[in-house]
Amino acid sequence: MTPGASSWARATTSRRGRGTRVQPNTWIYRHLFRLIGKMADLATRHAETTDIILKRALDQAARCLFLAGASDWGFLIETGQAVRYSEVQILRHIDRARELLRQVESARSTRSS
């Protein structure tokens, strides 16, 4: 199977045309990649845990990372539509994921001592 081409681009083509980029959105990925690495590490360490709170925190952190990385935000930033709103949403989701992962890591270190 070959997936059909699709895009949010203009005129339902994969091209956006020249000069449509208003603001770069690449800063998002630096934060996401760092947190995804931490998420993977903590999820692996706690794969066999029976602690429901840790499981829920990891699940919620994963949801926050998915929401932060949603293509809608980057697209809106790139096209200059609702830029500030999109940036705030991304940062809120990243901050929530970061805090949840910090708490999971903190709980791990206090339980292992």
Side-chain angles (χ1 to χ4, degrees), residues 4-63:
S6 65
S7 173
W8 283 47
R10 296 175 187 215
T12 67
T13 67
S14 298
R15 293 179 297 126
R16 290 209 175 121
R18 286 192 197 155
T20 57
R21 170 168 273 195
V22 174
Q23 186 166 341
N25 58 22
T26 55
W27 61 270
I28 301 165
Y29 304 105
R30 173 180 68 239
H31 299 287
L32 287 176
F33 291 154
R34 187 176 302 128
L35 286 173
I36 288 168
K38 182 177 267 192
M39 173 84 207
D41 179 51
L42 289 171
T44 301
R45 289 183 194 184
H46 294 289
E48 303 298 323
T49 187
T50 57
D51 186 333
I52 192 70
I53 301 297
L54 283 178
K55 285 181 179 183
R56 290 182 69 192
L58 287 167
D59 287 347
Q60 185 60 38
R63 283 189 284 274

Side-chain angles (χ1 to χ4, degrees), residues 3 12 15 23 28 33 60 62 72 76-77 82 85 94 104-105:
T12 67
R15 293 179 297 126
Q23 186 166 341
I28 301 165
F33 291 154
Q60 185 60 38
D72 303 37
L76 290 171
I77 291 170
Y85 176 76
I94 286 172
V104 167
E105 199 165 39

